[in-house]
Amino acid sequence: MFSKSIVALVTPFNHLGEVDYDSLKSLVEYHIKSGSNGIVAVGTTGESATLTVEEHVKVVNKTVEFAAGRIPIIAGTGANATHEAVTFSRLLNNSGVAGCLSVTPYYNKPTQEGLYQHYKAIAEVSEVPVILYNVPGRTGVDLLPETVGRLSKLDKIVGIKDATGDLSRVEKFRELCGEDFILLSGDDATGLDFVKLGGDGVISVTNNIAAADMAQMFQLAADGQFEEAEKINQKLMPLHKNLFVESSPIPVKWAAHQMGLIKEGDLRLPLTVLSEPAQVIVTQALKDAGIQ
């Protein structure tokens, strides 16, 4: 269920800072029509850090409603307080999500044992599969392969989204976690290489604006046609890199607005609109990728 090209979906806001559910519905339809293999609702790219608990749950529930069983929805349920992450898991257990994605506790900088106990607590209350999420560049803590190996033995923990870009980890994960453990890249620039080495797919920022190309690329990879997949990957490489010219999701949200995928490109403070110099860079990346 969790493989190939999964989008880390943006959360659209209107100019008043409210969630734009009409645009959210349009985004879900765009990804279904484009062949995306899954949607992560309210992850990092969905600005989970600035949504209230009520908004967070509602956005997930509305995404499930709009999808109507046509595409798996994965709920972002991470938090830096274990009790809060547990609460999100409980609140979304009966929402119809296919699984949840839980980021490592940010700012606290727990030990590896602390990370193990954090995820163990989540696994004990979750009624849906749990995907670990490791992104040290944002959280300040690294979930090491050895700890992932321990966690893979727990019921409900089925995979990991690894955004380190460290391709040497793929082999370590397979050795420590087994062949059935789901390995997803969280780094677009190395995502295809991650799959070549034995990964199952990617949870992608680029997918927000190049969904059909991403779906085709990872289907080709799944079929072992890596040469053809690489041609698409090289075309998209300007996006893989330049959608991070400023903190994500600033660039991708601006691009989605420019493409008419969302009505407005507003973000919530402390994130601000893409700067003019960066707009030039992202515009060129869209052109280079054949998007505009």
Side-chain angles (χ1 to χ4, degrees), residues 9-13 19 21 24 41-42 46 51 53-66 73 92:
L9 195 68
V10 298
T11 299
F13 299 125
V19 177
Y21 289 102
L24 180 62
V42 200
L51 267 65
V53 172
E54 292 76 17
E55 287 174 323
H56 191 127
V57 172
K58 184 176 179 179
V59 170
V60 172
N61 285 331
K62 296 298 284 187
T63 304
V64 171
E65 176 189 326
F66 297 148
I73 306 301
L92 294 167

mmCIF file with all atom_site columns, all heavy atoms in Angstrom, residues 9-13 19 21 24 41-42 46 51 53-66 73 92:
data_model
loop_
_atom_site.group_PDB
_atom_site.id
_atom_site.type_symbol
_atom_site.label_atom_id
_atom_site.label_alt_id
_atom_site.label_comp_id
_atom_site.label_asym_id
_atom_site.label_entity_id
_atom_site.label_seq_id
_atom_site.pdbx_PDB_ins_code
_atom_site.Cartn_x
_atom_site.Cartn_y
_atom_site.Cartn_z
_atom_site.occupancy
_atom_site.B_iso_or_equiv
_atom_site.pdbx_formal_charge
_atom_site.auth_seq_id
_atom_site.auth_comp_id
_atom_site.auth_asym_id
_atom_site.auth_atom_id
_atom_site.pdbx_PDB_model_num
ATOM 1   N N   . LEU A 1 9  ? 1.580   16.478 0.929  1.00 0.00 ? 9  LEU A N   1
ATOM 2   C CA  . LEU A 1 9  ? 0.663   17.489 0.402  1.00 0.00 ? 9  LEU A CA  1
ATOM 3   C C   . LEU A 1 9  ? 0.751   18.816 1.163  1.00 0.00 ? 9  LEU A C   1
ATOM 4   O O   . LEU A 1 9  ? 0.808   18.836 2.388  1.00 0.00 ? 9  LEU A O   1
ATOM 5   C CB  . LEU A 1 9  ? -0.771  16.963 0.479  1.00 0.00 ? 9  LEU A CB  1
ATOM 6   C CG  . LEU A 1 9  ? -1.829  17.713 -0.330 1.00 0.00 ? 9  LEU A CG  1
ATOM 7   C CD1 . LEU A 1 9  ? -1.585  17.533 -1.826 1.00 0.00 ? 9  LEU A CD1 1
ATOM 8   C CD2 . LEU A 1 9  ? -3.230  17.222 0.039  1.00 0.00 ? 9  LEU A CD2 1
ATOM 9   N N   . VAL A 1 10 ? 0.714   19.917 0.402  1.00 0.00 ? 10 VAL A N   1
ATOM 10  C CA  . VAL A 1 10 ? 0.610   21.239 1.023  1.00 0.00 ? 10 VAL A CA  1
ATOM 11  C C   . VAL A 1 10 ? -0.795  21.408 1.595  1.00 0.00 ? 10 VAL A C   1
ATOM 12  O O   . VAL A 1 10 ? -1.755  20.788 1.135  1.00 0.00 ? 10 VAL A O   1
ATOM 13  C CB  . VAL A 1 10 ? 0.902   22.374 0.012  1.00 0.00 ? 10 VAL A CB  1
ATOM 14  C CG1 . VAL A 1 10 ? 2.312   22.274 -0.532 1.00 0.00 ? 10 VAL A CG1 1
ATOM 15  C CG2 . VAL A 1 10 ? -0.118  22.397 -1.115 1.00 0.00 ? 10 VAL A CG2 1
ATOM 16  N N   . THR A 1 11 ? -0.908  22.252 2.604  1.00 0.00 ? 11 THR A N   1
ATOM 17  C CA  . THR A 1 11 ? -2.225  22.641 3.137  1.00 0.00 ? 11 THR A CA  1
ATOM 18  C C   . THR A 1 11 ? -2.536  24.047 2.625  1.00 0.00 ? 11 THR A C   1
ATOM 19  O O   . THR A 1 11 ? -1.864  25.006 3.014  1.00 0.00 ? 11 THR A O   1
ATOM 20  C CB  . THR A 1 11 ? -2.228  22.631 4.677  1.00 0.00 ? 11 THR A CB  1
ATOM 21  O OG1 . THR A 1 11 ? -1.931  21.313 5.154  1.00 0.00 ? 11 THR A OG1 1
ATOM 22  C CG2 . THR A 1 11 ? -3.590  23.060 5.209  1.00 0.00 ? 11 THR A CG2 1
ATOM 23  N N   . PRO A 1 12 ? -3.526  24.197 1.758  1.00 0.00 ? 12 PRO A N   1
ATOM 24  C CA  . PRO A 1 12 ? -3.818  25.537 1.216  1.00 0.00 ? 12 PRO A CA  1
ATOM 25  C C   . PRO A 1 12 ? -4.547  26.416 2.218  1.00 0.00 ? 12 PRO A C   1
ATOM 26  O O   . PRO A 1 12 ? -5.438  25.961 2.941  1.00 0.00 ? 12 PRO A O   1
ATOM 27  C CB  . PRO A 1 12 ? -4.711  25.226 0.009  1.00 0.00 ? 12 PRO A CB  1
ATOM 28  C CG  . PRO A 1 12 ? -5.340  23.907 0.319  1.00 0.00 ? 12 PRO A CG  1
ATOM 29  C CD  . PRO A 1 12 ? -4.362  23.146 1.161  1.00 0.00 ? 12 PRO A CD  1
ATOM 30  N N   . PHE A 1 13 ? -4.142  27.681 2.266  1.00 0.00 ? 13 PHE A N   1
ATOM 31  C CA  . PHE A 1 13 ? -4.803  28.682 3.101  1.00 0.00 ? 13 PHE A CA  1
ATOM 32  C C   . PHE A 1 13 ? -5.336  29.803 2.214  1.00 0.00 ? 13 PHE A C   1
ATOM 33  O O   . PHE A 1 13 ? -4.795  30.068 1.133  1.00 0.00 ? 13 PHE A O   1
ATOM 34  C CB  . PHE A 1 13 ? -3.819  29.307 4.102  1.00 0.00 ? 13 PHE A CB  1
ATOM 35  C CG  . PHE A 1 13 ? -3.211  28.334 5.067  1.00 0.00 ? 13 PHE A CG  1
ATOM 36  C CD1 . PHE A 1 13 ? -1.828  28.230 5.197  1.00 0.00 ? 13 PHE A CD1 1
ATOM 37  C CD2 . PHE A 1 13 ? -4.005  27.525 5.870  1.00 0.00 ? 13 PHE A CD2 1
ATOM 38  C CE1 . PHE A 1 13 ? -1.254  27.343 6.096  1.00 0.00 ? 13 PHE A CE1 1
ATOM 39  C CE2 . PHE A 1 13 ? -3.447  26.634 6.773  1.00 0.00 ? 13 PHE A CE2 1
ATOM 40  C CZ  . PHE A 1 13 ? -2.062  26.540 6.886  1.00 0.00 ? 13 PHE A CZ  1
ATOM 41  N N   . VAL A 1 19 ? -7.897  27.546 6.470  1.00 0.00 ? 19 VAL A N   1
ATOM 42  C CA  . VAL A 1 19 ? -7.700  26.443 5.531  1.00 0.00 ? 19 VAL A CA  1
ATOM 43  C C   . VAL A 1 19 ? -8.709  26.566 4.392  1.00 0.00 ? 19 VAL A C   1
ATOM 44  O O   . VAL A 1 19 ? -9.909  26.783 4.616  1.00 0.00 ? 19 VAL A O   1
ATOM 45  C CB  . VAL A 1 19 ? -7.872  25.078 6.231  1.00 0.00 ? 19 VAL A CB  1
ATOM 46  C CG1 . VAL A 1 19 ? -7.727  23.944 5.227  1.00 0.00 ? 19 VAL A CG1 1
ATOM 47  C CG2 . VAL A 1 19 ? -6.855  24.921 7.353  1.00 0.00 ? 19 VAL A CG2 1
ATOM 48  N N   . TYR A 1 21 ? -10.610 24.694 1.965  1.00 0.00 ? 21 TYR A N   1
ATOM 49  C CA  . TYR A 1 21 ? -11.012 23.312 1.711  1.00 0.00 ? 21 TYR A CA  1
ATOM 50  C C   . TYR A 1 21 ? -11.402 23.074 0.255  1.00 0.00 ? 21 TYR A C   1
ATOM 51  O O   . TYR A 1 21 ? -11.312 21.940 -0.227 1.00 0.00 ? 21 TYR A O   1
ATOM 52  C CB  . TYR A 1 21 ? -12.136 22.907 2.663  1.00 0.00 ? 21 TYR A CB  1
ATOM 53  C CG  . TYR A 1 21 ? -11.638 22.753 4.080  1.00 0.00 ? 21 TYR A CG  1
ATOM 54  C CD1 . TYR A 1 21 ? -11.866 23.747 5.031  1.00 0.00 ? 21 TYR A CD1 1
ATOM 55  C CD2 . TYR A 1 21 ? -10.900 21.639 4.458  1.00 0.00 ? 21 TYR A CD2 1
ATOM 56  C CE1 . TYR A 1 21 ? -11.379 23.624 6.326  1.00 0.00 ? 21 TYR A CE1 1
ATOM 57  C CE2 . TYR A 1 21 ? -10.400 21.510 5.757  1.00 0.00 ? 21 TYR A CE2 1
ATOM 58  C CZ  . TYR A 1 21 ? -10.650 22.501 6.681  1.00 0.00 ? 21 TYR A CZ  1
ATOM 59  O OH  . TYR A 1 21 ? -10.146 22.369 7.957  1.00 0.00 ? 21 TYR A OH  1
ATOM 60  N N   . LEU A 1 24 ? -8.156  22.305 -1.267 1.00 0.00 ? 24 LEU A N   1
ATOM 61  C CA  . LEU A 1 24 ? -7.733  20.983 -0.802 1.00 0.00 ? 24 LEU A CA  1
ATOM 62  C C   . LEU A 1 24 ? -8.425  19.887 -1.603 1.00 0.00 ? 24 LEU A C   1
ATOM 63  O O   . LEU A 1 24 ? -7.790  18.907 -2.020 1.00 0.00 ? 24 LEU A O   1
ATOM 64  C CB  . LEU A 1 24 ? -8.046  20.836 0.685  1.00 0.00 ? 24 LEU A CB  1
ATOM 65  C CG  . LEU A 1 24 ? -7.656  19.501 1.319  1.00 0.00 ? 24 LEU A CG  1
ATOM 66  C CD1 . LEU A 1 24 ? -6.150  19.271 1.258  1.00 0.00 ? 24 LEU A CD1 1
ATOM 67  C CD2 . LEU A 1 24 ? -8.137  19.439 2.775  1.00 0.00 ? 24 LEU A CD2 1
ATOM 68  N N   . ALA A 1 41 ? -1.284  13.761 4.501  1.00 0.00 ? 41 ALA A N   1
ATOM 69  C CA  . ALA A 1 41 ? -2.002  14.966 4.908  1.00 0.00 ? 41 ALA A CA  1
ATOM 70  C C   . ALA A 1 41 ? -1.429  15.504 6.204  1.00 0.00 ? 41 ALA A C   1
ATOM 71  O O   . ALA A 1 41 ? -1.236  14.758 7.167  1.00 0.00 ? 41 ALA A O   1
ATOM 72  C CB  . ALA A 1 41 ? -3.489  14.652 5.088  1.00 0.00 ? 41 ALA A CB  1
ATOM 73  N N   . VAL A 1 42 ? -1.131  16.775 6.227  1.00 0.00 ? 42 VAL A N   1
ATOM 74  C CA  . VAL A 1 42 ? -0.645  17.495 7.408  1.00 0.00 ? 42 VAL A CA  1
ATOM 75  C C   . VAL A 1 42 ? 0.668   16.904 7.935  1.00 0.00 ? 42 VAL A C   1
ATOM 76  O O   . VAL A 1 42 ? 0.811   16.604 9.116  1.00 0.00 ? 42 VAL A O   1
ATOM 77  C CB  . VAL A 1 42 ? -1.702  17.551 8.545  1.00 0.00 ? 42 VAL A CB  1
ATOM 78  C CG1 . VAL A 1 42 ? -1.363  18.693 9.501  1.00 0.00 ? 42 VAL A CG1 1
ATOM 79  C CG2 . VAL A 1 42 ? -3.100  17.760 8.011  1.00 0.00 ? 42 VAL A CG2 1
ATOM 80  N N   . GLY A 1 46 ? 2.730   20.065 4.873  1.00 0.00 ? 46 GLY A N   1
ATOM 81  C CA  . GLY A 1 46 ? 1.374   20.540 5.153  1.00 0.00 ? 46 GLY A CA  1
ATOM 82  C C   . GLY A 1 46 ? 1.301   21.527 6.295  1.00 0.00 ? 46 GLY A C   1
ATOM 83  O O   . GLY A 1 46 ? 0.205   21.826 6.795  1.00 0.00 ? 46 GLY A O   1
ATOM 84  N N   . LEU A 1 51 ? -0.803  24.445 12.514 1.00 0.00 ? 51 LEU A N   1
ATOM 85  C CA  . LEU A 1 51 ? -2.232  24.145 12.592 1.00 0.00 ? 51 LEU A CA  1
ATOM 86  C C   . LEU A 1 51 ? -2.623  23.827 14.036 1.00 0.00 ? 51 LEU A C   1
ATOM 87  O O   . LEU A 1 51 ? -1.842  23.230 14.775 1.00 0.00 ? 51 LEU A O   1
ATOM 88  C CB  . LEU A 1 51 ? -2.591  22.952 11.704 1.00 0.00 ? 51 LEU A CB  1
ATOM 89  C CG  . LEU A 1 51 ? -3.051  23.278 10.276 1.00 0.00 ? 51 LEU A CG  1
ATOM 90  C CD1 . LEU A 1 51 ? -1.925  23.911 9.489  1.00 0.00 ? 51 LEU A CD1 1
ATOM 91  C CD2 . LEU A 1 51 ? -3.552  22.021 9.569  1.00 0.00 ? 51 LEU A CD2 1
ATOM 92  N N   . VAL A 1 53 ? -4.857  21.747 16.839 1.00 0.00 ? 53 VAL A N   1
ATOM 93  C CA  . VAL A 1 53 ? -5.250  20.334 16.884 1.00 0.00 ? 53 VAL A CA  1
ATOM 94  C C   . VAL A 1 53 ? -6.554  20.126 16.125 1.00 0.00 ? 53 VAL A C   1
ATOM 95  O O   . VAL A 1 53 ? -6.700  19.168 15.341 1.00 0.00 ? 53 VAL A O   1
ATOM 96  C CB  . VAL A 1 53 ? -5.388  19.855 18.344 1.00 0.00 ? 53 VAL A CB  1
ATOM 97  C CG1 . VAL A 1 53 ? -5.976  18.449 18.393 1.00 0.00 ? 53 VAL A CG1 1
ATOM 98  C CG2 . VAL A 1 53 ? -4.036  19.895 19.046 1.00 0.00 ? 53 VAL A CG2 1
ATOM 99  N N   . GLU A 1 54 ? -7.494  21.026 16.317 1.00 0.00 ? 54 GLU A N   1
ATOM 100 C CA  . GLU A 1 54 ? -8.793  20.903 15.643 1.00 0.00 ? 54 GLU A CA  1
ATOM 101 C C   . GLU A 1 54 ? -8.637  20.999 14.130 1.00 0.00 ? 54 GLU A C   1
ATOM 102 O O   . GLU A 1 54 ? -9.245  20.215 13.380 1.00 0.00 ? 54 GLU A O   1
ATOM 103 C CB  . GLU A 1 54 ? -9.746  21.995 16.133 1.00 0.00 ? 54 GLU A CB  1
ATOM 104 C CG  . GLU A 1 54 ? -10.192 21.849 17.585 1.00 0.00 ? 54 GLU A CG  1
ATOM 105 C CD  . GLU A 1 54 ? -9.125  22.259 18.590 1.00 0.00 ? 54 GLU A CD  1
ATOM 106 O OE1 . GLU A 1 54 ? -8.154  22.969 18.199 1.00 0.00 ? 54 GLU A OE1 1
ATOM 107 O OE2 . GLU A 1 54 ? -9.256  21.875 19.771 1.00 0.00 ? 54 GLU A OE2 1
ATOM 108 N N   . GLU A 1 55 ? -7.833  21.960 13.666 1.00 0.00 ? 55 GLU A N   1
ATOM 109 C CA  . GLU A 1 55 ? -7.594  22.094 12.227 1.00 0.00 ? 55 GLU A CA  1
ATOM 110 C C   . GLU A 1 55 ? -6.883  20.865 11.685 1.00 0.00 ? 55 GLU A C   1
ATOM 111 O O   . GLU A 1 55 ? -7.222  20.353 10.602 1.00 0.00 ? 55 GLU A O   1
ATOM 112 C CB  . GLU A 1 55 ? -6.741  23.335 11.954 1.00 0.00 ? 55 GLU A CB  1
ATOM 113 C CG  . GLU A 1 55 ? -7.462  24.650 12.122 1.00 0.00 ? 55 GLU A CG  1
ATOM 114 C CD  . GLU A 1 55 ? -6.511  25.823 11.970 1.00 0.00 ? 55 GLU A CD  1
ATOM 115 O OE1 . GLU A 1 55 ? -5.349  25.729 12.409 1.00 0.00 ? 55 GLU A OE1 1
ATOM 116 O OE2 . GLU A 1 55 ? -6.939  26.843 11.412 1.00 0.00 ? 55 GLU A OE2 1
ATOM 117 N N   . HIS A 1 56 ? -5.882  20.402 12.404 1.00 0.00 ? 56 HIS A N   1
ATOM 118 C CA  . HIS A 1 56 ? -5.097  19.239 12.001 1.00 0.00 ? 56 HIS A CA  1
ATOM 119 C C   . HIS A 1 56 ? -6.017  18.046 11.735 1.00 0.00 ? 56 HIS A C   1
ATOM 120 O O   . HIS A 1 56 ? -5.960  17.416 10.670 1.00 0.00 ? 56 HIS A O   1
ATOM 121 C CB  . HIS A 1 56 ? -4.097  18.914 13.116 1.00 0.00 ? 56 HIS A CB  1
ATOM 122 C CG  . HIS A 1 56 ? -3.058  17.916 12.765 1.00 0.00 ? 56 HIS A CG  1
ATOM 123 N ND1 . HIS A 1 56 ? -1.718  18.157 12.929 1.00 0.00 ? 56 HIS A ND1 1
ATOM 124 C CD2 . HIS A 1 56 ? -3.153  16.650 12.285 1.00 0.00 ? 56 HIS A CD2 1
ATOM 125 C CE1 . HIS A 1 56 ? -1.033  17.093 12.550 1.00 0.00 ? 56 HIS A CE1 1
ATOM 126 N NE2 . HIS A 1 56 ? -1.881  16.158 12.163 1.00 0.00 ? 56 HIS A NE2 1
ATOM 127 N N   . VAL A 1 57 ? -6.862  17.751 12.693 1.00 0.00 ? 57 VAL A N   1
ATOM 128 C CA  . VAL A 1 57 ? -7.767  16.603 12.572 1.00 0.00 ? 57 VAL A CA  1
ATOM 129 C C   . VAL A 1 57 ? -8.767  16.827 11.439 1.00 0.00 ? 57 VAL A C   1
ATOM 130 O O   . VAL A 1 57 ? -9.055  15.911 10.651 1.00 0.00 ? 57 VAL A O   1
ATOM 131 C CB  . VAL A 1 57 ? -8.486  16.345 13.909 1.00 0.00 ? 57 VAL A CB  1
ATOM 132 C CG1 . VAL A 1 57 ? -9.571  15.283 13.755 1.00 0.00 ? 57 VAL A CG1 1
ATOM 133 C CG2 . VAL A 1 57 ? -7.485  15.917 14.975 1.00 0.00 ? 57 VAL A CG2 1
ATOM 134 N N   . LYS A 1 58 ? -9.277  18.045 11.323 1.00 0.00 ? 58 LYS A N   1
ATOM 135 C CA  . LYS A 1 58 ? -10.263 18.318 10.278 1.00 0.00 ? 58 LYS A CA  1
ATOM 136 C C   . LYS A 1 58 ? -9.651  18.197 8.884  1.00 0.00 ? 58 LYS A C   1
ATOM 137 O O   . LYS A 1 58 ? -10.285 17.633 7.963  1.00 0.00 ? 58 LYS A O   1
ATOM 138 C CB  . LYS A 1 58 ? -10.876 19.715 10.456 1.00 0.00 ? 58 LYS A CB  1
ATOM 139 C CG  . LYS A 1 58 ? -11.988 19.994 9.443  1.00 0.00 ? 58 LYS A CG  1
ATOM 140 C CD  . LYS A 1 58 ? -12.656 21.343 9.698  1.00 0.00 ? 58 LYS A CD  1
ATOM 141 C CE  . LYS A 1 58 ? -13.745 21.603 8.651  1.00 0.00 ? 58 LYS A CE  1
ATOM 142 N NZ  . LYS A 1 58 ? -14.436 22.910 8.876  1.00 0.00 ? 58 LYS A NZ  1
ATOM 143 N N   . VAL A 1 59 ? -8.434  18.697 8.694  1.00 0.00 ? 59 VAL A N   1
ATOM 144 C CA  . VAL A 1 59 ? -7.790  18.597 7.373  1.00 0.00 ? 59 VAL A CA  1
ATOM 145 C C   . VAL A 1 59 ? -7.593  17.132 6.990  1.00 0.00 ? 59 VAL A C   1
ATOM 146 O O   . VAL A 1 59 ? -7.844  16.735 5.852  1.00 0.00 ? 59 VAL A O   1
ATOM 147 C CB  . VAL A 1 59 ? -6.452  19.361 7.348  1.00 0.00 ? 59 VAL A CB  1
ATOM 148 C CG1 . VAL A 1 59 ? -5.679  19.053 6.062  1.00 0.00 ? 59 VAL A CG1 1
ATOM 149 C CG2 . VAL A 1 59 ? -6.691  20.866 7.454  1.00 0.00 ? 59 VAL A CG2 1
ATOM 150 N N   . VAL A 1 60 ? -7.161  16.321 7.943  1.00 0.00 ? 60 VAL A N   1
ATOM 151 C CA  . VAL A 1 60 ? -7.015  14.887 7.658  1.00 0.00 ? 60 VAL A CA  1
ATOM 152 C C   . VAL A 1 60 ? -8.358  14.274 7.302  1.00 0.00 ? 60 VAL A C   1
ATOM 153 O O   . VAL A 1 60 ? -8.496  13.559 6.296  1.00 0.00 ? 60 VAL A O   1
ATOM 154 C CB  . VAL A 1 60 ? -6.387  14.145 8.856  1.00 0.00 ? 60 VAL A CB  1
ATOM 155 C CG1 . VAL A 1 60 ? -6.433  12.630 8.620  1.00 0.00 ? 60 VAL A CG1 1
ATOM 156 C CG2 . VAL A 1 60 ? -4.950  14.588 9.072  1.00 0.00 ? 60 VAL A CG2 1
ATOM 157 N N   . ASN A 1 61 ? -9.371  14.562 8.103  1.00 0.00 ? 61 ASN A N   1
ATOM 158 C CA  . ASN A 1 61 ? -10.699 13.987 7.858  1.00 0.00 ? 61 ASN A CA  1
ATOM 159 C C   . ASN A 1 61 ? -11.273 14.428 6.514  1.00 0.00 ? 61 ASN A C   1
ATOM 160 O O   . ASN A 1 61 ? -11.880 13.617 5.793  1.00 0.00 ? 61 ASN A O   1
ATOM 161 C CB  . ASN A 1 61 ? -11.664 14.371 8.985  1.00 0.00 ? 61 ASN A CB  1
ATOM 162 C CG  . ASN A 1 61 ? -11.416 13.586 10.258 1.00 0.00 ? 61 ASN A CG  1
ATOM 163 O OD1 . ASN A 1 61 ? -10.946 12.451 10.213 1.00 0.00 ? 61 ASN A OD1 1
ATOM 164 N ND2 . ASN A 1 61 ? -11.737 14.174 11.399 1.00 0.00 ? 61 ASN A ND2 1
ATOM 165 N N   . LYS A 1 62 ? -11.093 15.691 6.164  1.00 0.00 ? 62 LYS A N   1
ATOM 166 C CA  . LYS A 1 62 ? -11.598 16.183 4.878  1.00 0.00 ? 62 LYS A CA  1
ATOM 167 C C   . LYS A 1 62 ? -10.819 15.570 3.716  1.00 0.00 ? 62 LYS A C   1
ATOM 168 O O   . LYS A 1 62 ? -11.401 15.271 2.662  1.00 0.00 ? 62 LYS A O   1
ATOM 169 C CB  . LYS A 1 62 ? -11.531 17.707 4.816  1.00 0.00 ? 62 LYS A CB  1
ATOM 170 C CG  . LYS A 1 62 ? -12.423 18.427 5.821  1.00 0.00 ? 62 LYS A CG  1
ATOM 171 C CD  . LYS A 1 62 ? -13.900 18.130 5.601  1.00 0.00 ? 62 LYS A CD  1
ATOM 172 C CE  . LYS A 1 62 ? -14.482 18.862 4.430  1.00 0.00 ? 62 LYS A CE  1
ATOM 173 N NZ  . LYS A 1 62 ? -15.959 18.686 4.317  1.00 0.00 ? 62 LYS A NZ  1
ATOM 174 N N   . THR A 1 63 ? -9.520  15.357 3.899  1.00 0.00 ? 63 THR A N   1
ATOM 175 C CA  . THR A 1 63 ? -8.726  14.717 2.841  1.00 0.00 ? 63 THR A CA  1
ATOM 176 C C   . THR A 1 63 ? -9.213  13.295 2.598  1.00 0.00 ? 63 THR A C   1
ATOM 177 O O   . THR A 1 63 ? -9.359  12.854 1.449  1.00 0.00 ? 63 THR A O   1
ATOM 178 C CB  . THR A 1 63 ? -7.237  14.717 3.222  1.00 0.00 ? 63 THR A CB  1
ATOM 179 O OG1 . THR A 1 63 ? -6.812  16.058 3.495  1.00 0.00 ? 63 THR A OG1 1
ATOM 180 C CG2 . THR A 1 63 ? -6.379  14.163 2.084  1.00 0.00 ? 63 THR A CG2 1
ATOM 181 N N   . VAL A 1 64 ? -9.499  12.577 3.683  1.00 0.00 ? 64 VAL A N   1
ATOM 182 C CA  . VAL A 1 64 ? -10.064 11.223 3.562  1.00 0.00 ? 64 VAL A CA  1
ATOM 183 C C   . VAL A 1 64 ? -11.421 11.285 2.861  1.00 0.00 ? 64 VAL A C   1
ATOM 184 O O   . VAL A 1 64 ? -11.720 10.474 1.965  1.00 0.00 ? 64 VAL A O   1
ATOM 185 C CB  . VAL A 1 64 ? -10.203 10.571 4.953  1.00 0.00 ? 64 VAL A CB  1
ATOM 186 C CG1 . VAL A 1 64 ? -10.998 9.268  4.860  1.00 0.00 ? 64 VAL A CG1 1
ATOM 187 C CG2 . VAL A 1 64 ? -8.828  10.309 5.557  1.00 0.00 ? 64 VAL A CG2 1
ATOM 188 N N   . GLU A 1 65 ? -12.238 12.253 3.249  1.00 0.00 ? 65 GLU A N   1
ATOM 189 C CA  . GLU A 1 65 ? -13.569 12.409 2.634  1.00 0.00 ? 65 GLU A CA  1
ATOM 190 C C   . GLU A 1 65 ? -13.453 12.677 1.141  1.00 0.00 ? 65 GLU A C   1
ATOM 191 O O   . GLU A 1 65 ? -14.154 12.048 0.325  1.00 0.00 ? 65 GLU A O   1
ATOM 192 C CB  . GLU A 1 65 ? -14.313 13.552 3.319  1.00 0.00 ? 65 GLU A CB  1
ATOM 193 C CG  . GLU A 1 65 ? -15.669 13.883 2.708  1.00 0.00 ? 65 GLU A CG  1
ATOM 194 C CD  . GLU A 1 65 ? -16.267 15.164 3.276  1.00 0.00 ? 65 GLU A CD  1
ATOM 195 O OE1 . GLU A 1 65 ? -16.054 15.451 4.472  1.00 0.00 ? 65 GLU A OE1 1
ATOM 196 O OE2 . GLU A 1 65 ? -16.954 15.885 2.519  1.00 0.00 ? 65 GLU A OE2 1
ATOM 197 N N   . PHE A 1 66 ? -12.572 13.600 0.771  1.00 0.00 ? 66 PHE A N   1
ATOM 198 C CA  . PHE A 1 66 ? -12.424 13.956 -0.645 1.00 0.00 ? 66 PHE A CA  1
ATOM 199 C C   . PHE A 1 66 ? -11.864 12.780 -1.453 1.00 0.00 ? 66 PHE A C   1
ATOM 200 O O   . PHE A 1 66 ? -12.222 12.590 -2.617 1.00 0.00 ? 66 PHE A O   1
ATOM 201 C CB  . PHE A 1 66 ? -11.512 15.171 -0.803 1.00 0.00 ? 66 PHE A CB  1
ATOM 202 C CG  . PHE A 1 66 ? -12.036 16.438 -0.166 1.00 0.00 ? 66 PHE A CG  1
ATOM 203 C CD1 . PHE A 1 66 ? -11.154 17.380 0.365  1.00 0.00 ? 66 PHE A CD1 1
ATOM 204 C CD2 . PHE A 1 66 ? -13.398 16.688 -0.092 1.00 0.00 ? 66 PHE A CD2 1
ATOM 205 C CE1 . PHE A 1 66 ? -11.635 18.546 0.947  1.00 0.00 ? 66 PHE A CE1 1
ATOM 206 C CE2 . PHE A 1 66 ? -13.891 17.856 0.489  1.00 0.00 ? 66 PHE A CE2 1
ATOM 207 C CZ  . PHE A 1 66 ? -13.001 18.794 1.004  1.00 0.00 ? 66 PHE A CZ  1
ATOM 208 N N   . ILE A 1 73 ? -4.655  7.543  2.209  1.00 0.00 ? 73 ILE A N   1
ATOM 209 C CA  . ILE A 1 73 ? -4.310  8.772  2.916  1.00 0.00 ? 73 ILE A CA  1
ATOM 210 C C   . ILE A 1 73 ? -3.519  8.408  4.165  1.00 0.00 ? 73 ILE A C   1
ATOM 211 O O   . ILE A 1 73 ? -3.952  7.575  4.974  1.00 0.00 ? 73 ILE A O   1
ATOM 212 C CB  . ILE A 1 73 ? -5.558  9.571  3.324  1.00 0.00 ? 73 ILE A CB  1
ATOM 213 C CG1 . ILE A 1 73 ? -6.462  9.830  2.117  1.00 0.00 ? 73 ILE A CG1 1
ATOM 214 C CG2 . ILE A 1 73 ? -5.155  10.884 4.000  1.00 0.00 ? 73 ILE A CG2 1
ATOM 215 C CD1 . ILE A 1 73 ? -5.806  10.603 0.985  1.00 0.00 ? 73 ILE A CD1 1
ATOM 216 N N   . LEU A 1 92 ? -7.203  10.009 15.368 1.00 0.00 ? 92 LEU A N   1
ATOM 217 C CA  . LEU A 1 92 ? -7.317  9.654  13.952 1.00 0.00 ? 92 LEU A CA  1
ATOM 218 C C   . LEU A 1 92 ? -7.443  8.159  13.709 1.00 0.00 ? 92 LEU A C   1
ATOM 219 O O   . LEU A 1 92 ? -7.482  7.714  12.564 1.00 0.00 ? 92 LEU A O   1
ATOM 220 C CB  . LEU A 1 92 ? -6.114  10.223 13.185 1.00 0.00 ? 92 LEU A CB  1
ATOM 221 C CG  . LEU A 1 92 ? -6.085  11.757 13.144 1.00 0.00 ? 92 LEU A CG  1
ATOM 222 C CD1 . LEU A 1 92 ? -4.744  12.280 12.662 1.00 0.00 ? 92 LEU A CD1 1
ATOM 223 C CD2 . LEU A 1 92 ? -7.207  12.282 12.248 1.00 0.00 ? 92 LEU A CD2 1
#
